[in-house]
Amino acid sequence: MMTKPKRIFKFFPGLAFWGIVVLFFGLVYPYHVAFHEQYQLFLFSGQYFIELLSIPGGGADYIARFLTQFFLFPWLGAGIIASVLTLIQILFLRIIRLFTHSNSLVNTIVSFVPSIAIMAFLCDENAMLSLPIALLFALSASLTCMQIPKNTTRSICGVLLFPVLFWIAGSASIIFVALLLLHEILLNQYKFSIPKWIAVFSVFVLYVYAVLLASQLLVSYPLSRVLNGINYYRYPDFMPFIKNVALLLFVSISFLTILIHRVIKKEQMIWASIVLFLLVFGGGTGLIISKVDTAKEEAFAYNYMARMHQWNAIIQKAEKNPPVSSLASTCVNLALAKTGQLGNHMFQFPQYDKLESLLPKYQRDMMTPLFAGEVYYHLGMVNTAHRLAVEAMESIPDYQKSARCYKRIAEVSIINGNYKTARKYLNVLEETLFYRKWAKRAETLLFNDESVNKHPEFGSLRKNRIDEDFFFNADEQDIILALLLKKNSTNRVAFEYLMAYKLLERDITGFIKFFSLGDGISYFSIPVHFQEALTVLWSSQNKPLNEIPWEIDTRISNNMKAFIAEYNSVTDKKLLADKFGDTYWYYLLCEKDNK
Amino acid sequence: MMKRLIYIAIFSLLLFSCKEDIQHAEKIDSYPEIYPDYIGVTIPMNIAPLNFTVDSSDYSSLELKILAGNEVAFQEEYKNNIDIPQSAWQDLLAKNCSDSIQFEVSVKKADQWFQYKPFSMYVSPDSIDYGIVYRLISPGYETYSKMGIYERELSGYNQRPLFENTQVTKSCVNCHTFNRGNPQQQSIHIRGAQGATIIKTNGETKILESANDSILASCMYPFWHPSGKYIAYSTNKVRQTFHTTATDLIETFDEASDLLVYDIENNTLLTSDLISGSSFETFPAFSADGKTLYFASAAHKDLPRELKETFYNICSISFDPETGIFGNKVDTVVNLAIDRKSATLPRASYDGKYLMYNKINYGSFPMYHTDADLWLLDLNSGETRPLNEVNSAYSDGYHNWSSNSRWFVFESRRDGDLFARPYFSHIDENGNVGKPFMLPQQNPDEYYQDLFYAYNTVEFVTGKVPFNARKVEKELMQPDREEMLFERK
């Protein structure tokens, strides 16, 4: 019987790996995890289940999508990913133990290799959980088959199970055939000669190909996609190299392990284990580090926080590390506007591509419209928010739908009073796990204008909508912002955006033209950057600052004098960044547009 | 034995008491609110059962009684969706051709039956074509995801995909058309990196590159010449813009557009200065005899700035099928621009009697216009009228005629959401138009509620469409495309 310390030691590697993966995805990559959830719509409905099961790999997709819905909570997602990867390691360890008839440490160490490779695959935000789930199916089936003692039963089981497995797990089930063949060759109970094995191998290759071809009669996908795995990766016309490497590793590592056990003597195994440990975990760490994309993680983090309305968290994050992309900067500007600080603090943070940080232009991808859509929604331009939600969803390359976008479409439909459309989308959201409650609540608002008008979010957004019909023009958004203010003079977010728009355009004349539109908004004092712009305007007219008709803080007028003095004295204007980098003057005169 | 008799007696008693209940049902002096609205519609004798649900959730069961003359032809109790067996339905329609059948709906609420006023459906002896072919697409803006072209038989509920865009990555499938519904003569566009125009006629397939330097863009909006020798196209620089108010979300317009006629045998696109000048010309359609080409036309404008000032008329130009030469003048057939409105999408009936078109407030694209209505021009008398029998407060358009010109199909958003659905309407020899009915489904409420695709470009077909999607996929993956030649006549 195994002693307690021995049992702990037995589970320790797996547990340690699980812990490392959880910490990695929970601390380093949490928003990559959450990123997945917004691009799917898992439904507890028979139709959804049948739809997925009608394609090869649909069973694995179904389970993967079921699990992915929990990625809304990144730590939970990290736990799920870690559990799946650890299960793969455990199953693979049991398989190579069968191959080597050994419980050696070497087996334990190398059993982590495929899981690490799949972990590296999952570092790509477009790598789907379907592949590791499919591998779980394939490895479980392999192990089950290998443990059948009777040769004929085992062979029949292998032959019959493959098409079923292929339909459930997709093309990753090819490793089932490969591992089974390897097992049979090693066992060699049939006492076949090498030519006979080559013949058997060829027959199996033909059999696999026949199954793949047969699937073509049932699905509307080209053979290449079926072979690559229909839903292992979000983009249908691309598959990362690491995916095929990971699949190959199951066979090559098995082969290598067998070789090690046959070549290396028992007393040398400890050295082999040490070397392998260093190689696997050193190489693994290097591989994972090479796959980590911190810029994307930052953008995903801001996107997640904006979605969750975590305005203060966005600002705090930006204060710690200024955003490095215009999309992240978009979220920071929105958070500042939502908390009434855009006019005071926007130049503390980088502003990229002139207006792109404020109102990003539509791009045909699934990311940008989500960022931009949040801005338009909170401004009250709900039709544009609707369009961007639809565009983002329709841009999802694997043709999935998005719970986040469905929610936004339902929200806008409620605001616009298009209740029938809203109901259609709410009915679907009621079939989800995490949006059901919200959908049920929202449903009570349908066909009830009074309740919508009283709703804290929908009511105020309804009030903010422009009455006048005109065509949206991305190049004339200042006019649209002004119309928003014309509709509701207390729309503070719109006012701050309009002012920021003119400031970023370096259009002081335009700034002053629209400045009075903010008369309906109660400010304790004129926001700092607006004061800075007003001082520029006044100074440009060669008038003394003490005669300026607006209430300008003495600190700001003094600061401006200091800025002008230093600006005139230095040739390299970038030297002013330390002292004046967070002012509008610096942006206006010293900063070239960030690209 | 005794036990069994007791059971039978109890069961009979229950059944009898139930029938008794329904016989004493309280009469309601109004029609039931049913979905889809099939009350008073005219239907073809070869249509699938028109199942429906009663729009109310407070009943425990409902009963449908179909009366033919004074006889009960069908009677069944349901929980919610009325699902009429196909054989019983076909039998019923066959026996009551050229007559009306009555639908008596009763609902049971808290142990009390209520009977609605019976409504009728008229069974027309004019049969409808075998099926329809349409695109299913999510109603989007500029981007699109999964879509496909599907065939649906009309005497049943079977739908089969002809081509789905999962077969060729990032492709857009559209503009499928048939010569008067003949499935042997078909044209289909696949857009994208592997895109092509596929024309099948007389068993021959052409994989064409339909864009070249001589024309504005790819060929679109095809319409077959009755001889099968030509296909009329327009070539359009299509753009989109977006409204800021809630009523109409999207505006699609042509920055430029011209007309072309493709001579299949000589692989040549033909045009004339009269239909490919600076003005906008789009949505071509041949007359029944093939000697006239109808189209929508508007004076050139600066778009989108002047979009709300762009008004299309229905115009025509003569066409000689023997020589492929166009006439030397363009006639205005319907002039709505004079009233600051647009007439677009002309479709001549195949019997040569009518021209159906869309009236909209401006522009040429009716689909997102809630003001889009169908109008009918009598080609003999020149009289034009709105089809009030079929129009709704929502967008109604993209109409097509059945091969016998007794039915027309159109897309409507009358369900009140973003999703267009096909509706069919009958037109008799005197031009009387029946109330339209929605494409029947086994469980329409569930089907349409769950369907997040809109029906697009619904075309009649007279038989099953021979289409080998796998072969087409392989052909599209090959780089070879036959270039269309161009000739200005």
Side-chain angles (χ1 to χ4, degrees):
Chain A
M1 204 176 147
M2 208 183 268
T3 60
K4 204 179 173 186
K6 265 191 174 174
R7 210 180 297 144
I8 290 169
F9 181 74
K10 187 186 163 192
F11 291 116
F12 175 75
L15 270 176
F17 179 69
W18 185 88
I20 291 167
V21 179
V22 169
L23 287 175
F24 173 78
F25 282 105
L27 288 176
V28 183
Y29 246 33
Y31 299 106
H32 265 75
V33 174
F35 177 86
H36 281 281
E37 190 277 335
Q38 65 192 338
Y39 293 118
Q40 73 155 33
L41 177 70
F42 181 84
L43 300 177
F44 287 93
S45 76
Q47 195 191 338
Y48 183 75
F49 180 69
I50 290 163
E51 253 174 47
L52 273 180
L53 275 201
S54 64
I55 54 164
D61 290 337
Y62 186 81
I63 294 171
R65 290 180 189 183
F66 169 78
L67 294 172
T68 304
Q69 67 184 324
F70 295 96
F71 289 16
L72 185 62
F73 311 101
W75 277 104
L76 200 54
I80 288 167
I81 294 172
S83 305
V84 171
L85 294 179
T86 311
L87 270 174
I88 289 174
Q89 178 268 326
I90 291 168
L91 288 169
F92 186 52
L93 175 62
R94 291 188 64 185
I95 289 170
I96 49 178
R97 276 181 181 162
L98 268 180
F99 286 152
T100 58
H101 305 289
S102 161
N103 282 342
S104 71
L105 196 57
V106 167
N107 282 348
T108 308
I109 293 165
V110 296
S111 67
F112 286 99
V113 175
S115 291
I116 293 170
I118 297 158
M119 186 178 165
F121 170 72
L122 291 177
C123 285
D124 182 333
E125 74 277 10
N126 294 310
M128 312 301 273
L129 196 62
S130 293
L131 176 67
I133 298 292
L135 289 171
L136 277 182
F137 272 110
L139 293 172
S140 310
S142 307
L143 194 63
T144 313
C145 253
M146 284 173 194
Q147 285 170 331
I148 297 170
K150 217 173 164 188
N151 291 345
T152 332
T153 319
R154 198 172 56 246
S155 307
I156 292 171
C157 185
V159 170
L160 293 182
L161 201 56
F162 174 66
V164 180
L165 192 65
F166 170 74
W167 201 261
I168 293 171
S171 61
S173 52
I174 288 171
I175 67 154
F176 164 79
V177 179
L179 289 172
L180 228 58
L181 271 175
L182 188 63
H183 177 258
E184 294 306 310
I185 293 167
L186 287 170
L187 212 62
N188 204 8
Q189 292 208 347
Y190 303 96
K191 309 287 179 208
F192 283 171
S193 59
I194 291 175
K196 268 194 178 171
W197 273 119
I198 292 171
V200 169
F201 180 77
S202 311
V203 167
F204 265 87
V205 169
L206 281 174
Y207 177 59
V208 168
Y209 192 63
V211 171
L212 282 169
L213 279 184
S215 74
Q216 289 287 283
L217 300 171
L218 302 167
V219 295
S220 296
Y221 289 90
L223 187 61
S224 57
R225 271 200 74 186
V226 176
L227 197 58
N228 251 333
I230 293 172
N231 286 323
Y232 294 163
Y233 196 74
R234 208 186 308 275
Y235 284 85
D237 48 358
F238 178 75
M239 186 58 79
F241 183 59
I242 188 90
K243 174 245 165 182
N244 290 329
V245 170
L247 293 192
L248 275 175
L249 279 172
F250 286 99
V251 183
S252 53
I253 293 287
S254 302
F255 191 73
L256 188 77
T257 319
I258 295 158
L259 211 65
I260 289 171
H261 280 83
R262 291 199 178 167
V263 173
I264 296 174
K265 289 175 189 159
K266 208 174 178 184
E267 56 273 20
Q268 290 171 327
M269 281 300 236
I270 186 71
W271 292 108
S273 303
I274 293 168
V275 171
L276 280 171
F277 178 82
L278 292 173
L279 274 175
V280 170
F281 291 98
T285 311
L287 178 67
I288 300 295
I289 289 171
S290 73
K291 294 286 174 188
V292 168
D293 189 333
T294 48
K296 274 186 182 168
E297 177 63 12
E298 186 211 49
F300 298 164
Y302 281 113
N303 176 37
Y304 180 83
M305 289 189 277
R307 176 189 177 186
M308 299 297 171
H309 298 184
Q310 296 169 354
W311 311 122
N312 291 324
I314 291 175
I315 297 165
Q316 280 163 17
K317 184 176 169 61
E319 279 169 348
K320 266 192 215 155
N321 296 304
V324 295
S325 66
S326 72
L327 287 179
S329 188
T330 303
C331 297
V332 177
N333 283 333
L334 177 62
L336 289 170
K338 287 295 287 180
T339 51
Q341 302 179 65
L342 191 65
N344 283 321
H345 299 294
M346 66 180 283
F347 291 109
Q348 277 176 22
F349 306 102
Q351 301 294 332
Y352 295 94
D353 299 351
K354 217 171 175 182
L355 294 167
E356 275 298 290
S357 294
L358 204 64
L359 292 160
K361 276 192 182 158
Y362 166 63
Q363 283 174 41
R364 282 189 183 211
D365 61 48
M366 62 177 179
M367 277 278 288
T368 327
L370 282 185
F371 282 82
E374 288 297 337
V375 180
Y376 288 110
Y377 180 75
H378 289 285
L379 278 168
M381 292 167 67
V382 291
N383 277 14
T384 311
H386 180 278
R387 173 167 77 93
L388 293 173
V390 173
E391 299 285 24
M393 185 163 72
E394 291 299 293
S395 302
I396 301 173
D398 60 355
Y399 298 159
Q400 286 203 63
K401 296 298 168 195
S402 152
R404 178 182 177 177
C405 296
Y406 263 47
K407 189 177 172 215
R408 178 50 45 86
I409 294 167
E411 285 170 334
V412 173
S413 302
I414 291 171
I415 294 164
N416 276 338
N418 296 330
Y419 298 124
K420 279 188 174 176
T421 306
R423 185 166 60 189
K424 194 170 172 74
Y425 285 89
L426 290 175
N427 282 349
V428 176
L429 290 173
E430 280 172 22
E431 289 178 8
T432 64
L433 188 60
F434 296 116
Y435 299 87
R436 179 181 296 152
K437 220 170 148 185
W438 177 86
K440 287 262 181 210
R441 268 203 316 270
E443 209 177 5
T444 60
L445 299 170
L446 300 184
F447 304 99
N448 189 343
D449 284 333
E450 207 178 313
S451 298
V452 177
N453 293 339
K454 282 182 190 160
H455 190 275
E457 184 173 307
F458 302 156
S460 64
L461 288 172
R462 181 178 268 194
K463 209 168 75 184
N464 287 348
R465 287 175 313 157
I466 301 167
D467 295 329
E468 211 174 311
D469 185 34
F470 58 91
F471 298 126
F472 179 83
N473 184 345
D475 297 322
E476 290 177 352
Q477 304 217 57
D478 48 349
I479 295 166
I480 301 173
L481 289 166
L483 282 169
L484 279 168
L485 272 166
K486 193 178 145 197
K487 174 70 200 298
N488 178 7
S489 59
T490 61
N491 185 346
R492 186 181 177 131
V493 178
F495 176 66
E496 295 206 351
Y497 260 78
L498 176 59
M499 293 296 97
Y501 189 98
K502 298 316 286 179
L503 293 182
L504 287 173
E505 270 198 321
R506 298 185 172 91
D507 178 8
I508 301 287
T509 322
F511 172 85
I512 198 66
K513 186 177 136 196
F514 292 122
F515 186 65
S516 60
L517 288 176
D519 288 348
I521 297 157
S522 54
Y523 279 108
F524 183 70
S525 60
I526 299 172
V528 172
H529 297 314
F530 302 172
Q531 289 190 43
E532 289 166 351
L534 292 170
T535 56
V536 171
L537 177 84
W538 198 252
S539 309
S540 66
Q541 293 167 357
N542 293 321
K543 292 177 184 168
L545 266 180
N546 54 6
E547 286 175 18
I548 195 163
W550 300 283
E551 211 170 295
I552 304 293
D553 195 303
T554 331
R555 198 173 48 87
I556 290 173
S557 15
N558 291 340
N559 225 7
M560 196 206 184
K561 285 171 197 160
F563 175 78
I564 292 168
E566 288 199 32
Y567 182 82
N568 291 331
S569 64
V570 295
T571 32
D572 183 3
K573 309 298 181 200
K574 289 279 169 198
L575 292 172
L576 300 175
D578 278 351
K579 226 170 159 182
F580 300 101
D582 59 353
T583 65
Y584 178 59
W585 310 311
Y586 182 82
Y587 172 82
L588 183 71
L589 298 170
C590 308
E591 205 168 80
K592 295 230 160 62
D593 294 335
N594 282 314
K595 292 277 174 192
Chain B
M1 185 65 188
M2 192 61 191
K3 238 180 187 177
R4 197 178 288 173
L5 281 172
I6 292 169
Y7 285 146
I8 291 169
I10 293 170
F11 181 73
S12 309
L13 199 68
L14 283 171
L15 198 71
F16 178 74
S17 60
C18 175
K19 293 287 171 208
E20 192 72 350
D21 278 352
I22 212 157
Q23 275 166 20
H24 295 107
E26 199 178 301
K27 300 265 194 285
I28 301 173
D29 192 28
S30 63
Y31 293 124
E33 279 185 28
I34 62 167
Y35 180 85
D37 177 11
Y38 289 147
I39 296 171
V41 297
T42 300
I43 57 171
M45 53 179 292
N46 55 338
I47 194 75
L50 266 64
N51 296 333
F52 58 88
T53 49
V54 176
D55 271 354
S56 168
S57 55
D58 58 349
Y59 60 81
S60 54
S61 57
L62 58 93
E63 196 212 50
L64 171 71
K65 205 186 271 181
I66 305 179
L67 303 155
N70 290 326
E71 280 181 22
V72 177
F74 178 81
Q75 188 172 9
E76 190 68 63
E77 203 173 312
Y78 298 94
K79 273 278 158 217
N80 39 43
N81 178 55
I82 284 172
D83 187 356
I84 307 164
Q86 205 152 342
S87 55
W89 174 260
Q90 278 163 358
D91 192 37
L92 185 74
L93 298 196
K95 284 179 183 161
N96 293 281
C97 188
S98 306
D99 207 347
S100 287
I101 45 175
Q102 302 288 318
F103 288 70
E104 199 177 276
V105 175
S106 306
V107 295
K108 192 179 184 181
K109 295 178 185 178
D111 292 334
Q112 170 66 43
W113 282 93
F114 296 88
Q115 193 183 87
Y116 289 101
K117 194 172 158 184
F119 64 88
S120 65
M121 290 186 199
Y122 176 73
V123 186
S124 163
D126 297 324
S127 64
I128 202 162
D129 286 332
Y130 161 82
I132 48 172
V133 172
Y134 44 85
R135 176 167 73 158
L136 286 180
I137 183 171
S138 290
Y141 291 78
E142 289 180 60
T143 36
Y144 54 84
S145 59
K146 192 181 174 187
M147 68 172 86
I149 293 178
Y150 301 85
E151 178 195 280
R152 158 78 196 262
E153 57 170 323
L154 289 173
S155 58
Y157 305 114
N158 288 339
Q159 174 183 280
R160 73 178 176 108
L162 294 182
F163 194 84
E164 290 177 313
N165 70 339
T166 46
Q167 289 186 247
V168 177
T169 305
K170 291 180 187 167
S171 62
C172 167
V173 291
N174 57 6
C175 292
H176 49 278
T177 190
F178 305 87
N179 187 5
R180 297 185 178 207
N182 178 357
Q184 303 297 334
Q185 291 186 323
Q186 48 180 276
S187 166
I188 180 173
H189 286 317
I190 317 275
R191 308 248 183 252
Q194 270 86 35
T197 294
I198 301 163
I199 295 174
K200 284 189 176 189
T201 181
N202 306 324
E204 201 191 318
T205 303
K206 283 186 171 210
I207 309 287
L208 299 160
E209 172 59 66
S210 70
N212 66 43
D213 295 342
S214 310
I215 59 175
L216 296 168
S218 295
C219 295
M220 44 184 32
Y221 310 130
F223 196 100
W224 281 83
H225 189 271
S227 67
K229 288 180 181 172
Y230 303 96
I231 302 175
Y233 288 106
S234 59
T235 170
N236 313 49
K237 282 188 175 175
V238 183
R239 301 284 181 268
Q240 280 189 324
T241 187
F242 312 101
H243 289 270
T244 47
T245 52
T247 333
D248 297 314
L249 296 172
I250 305 171
E251 202 62 61
T252 305
F253 61 93
D254 295 330
E255 219 169 53
S257 55
D258 289 331
L259 296 187
L260 305 154
V261 170
Y262 178 59
D263 179 339
I264 298 171
E265 201 182 310
N266 296 312
N267 184 36
T268 307
L269 286 166
L270 312 170
T271 193
S272 141
D273 289 343
L274 291 170
I275 51 171
S276 59
S278 61
S279 55
F280 302 142
E281 296 93 5
T282 189
F283 293 126
F286 282 109
S287 59
D289 61 7
K291 290 179 179 168
T292 306
L293 183 67
Y294 295 106
F295 55 95
S297 178
H300 183 272
K301 297 273 179 180
D302 177 21
L303 300 181
R305 198 174 57 80
E306 294 180 297
L307 184 55
K308 289 188 179 178
E309 298 294 317
T310 309
F311 306 113
Y312 281 77
N313 284 330
I314 303 293
C315 296
S316 70
I317 188 167
S318 62
F319 178 74
D320 182 351
E322 297 304 316
T323 58
I325 292 174
F326 298 94
N328 52 16
K329 67 178 174 78
V330 168
D331 292 320
T332 302
V333 182
V334 178
N335 188 342
L336 290 189
I338 202 164
D339 299 326
R340 297 178 62 77
K341 299 280 178 198
S342 264
T344 182
L345 258 164
R347 286 284 181 268
S349 62
Y350 303 127
D351 59 7
K353 283 184 173 178
Y354 304 105
L355 184 90
M356 200 178 287
Y357 60 94
N358 254 141
K359 181 183 176 185
I360 50 177
N361 283 346
Y362 56 87
S364 65
F365 281 76
M367 215 50 239
Y368 281 94
H369 275 248
T370 46
D371 54 271
D373 277 339
L374 288 169
W375 280 59
L376 192 71
L377 170 72
D378 186 324
L379 288 170
N380 294 324
S381 67
E383 195 184 304
T384 185
R385 71 175 182 98
L387 287 176
N388 294 329
E389 304 91 326
V390 304
N391 290 327
S392 71
Y394 298 89
S395 161
D396 302 295
Y398 277 102
H399 40 284
N400 270 305
W401 293 93
S402 68
S403 61
N404 61 4
S405 298
R406 282 285 180 263
W407 298 91
F408 59 90
V409 60
F410 63 97
E411 294 161 31
S412 176
R413 288 174 196 256
R414 64 189 60 194
D415 258 9
D417 52 28
L418 298 168
F419 304 86
R421 309 291 185 220
Y423 283 77
F424 302 85
S425 196
H426 180 253
I427 181 164
D428 69 14
E429 63 224 33
N430 301 318
N432 298 314
V433 174
K435 180 179 168 178
F437 63 92
M438 195 184 202
L439 175 65
Q441 304 290 351
Q442 181 118 36
N443 185 339
D445 189 36
E446 201 177 281
Y447 185 88
Y448 289 117
Q449 185 60 41
D450 290 347
L451 187 70
F452 277 73
Y453 291 101
Y455 285 78
N456 185 225
T457 330
V458 186
E459 289 253 331
F460 282 105
V461 278
T462 54
K464 219 168 177 182
V465 179
F467 197 88
N468 184 340
R470 198 60 70 188
K471 195 174 164 225
V472 169
E473 174 198 309
K474 278 186 188 143
E475 283 167 343
L476 289 171
M477 297 315 281
Q478 302 299 317
D480 311 322
R481 301 282 184 276
E482 197 178 336
E483 295 266 346
M484 287 175 167
L485 305 170
F486 179 78
E487 195 180 331
R488 196 175 282 272
K489 289 201 171 186

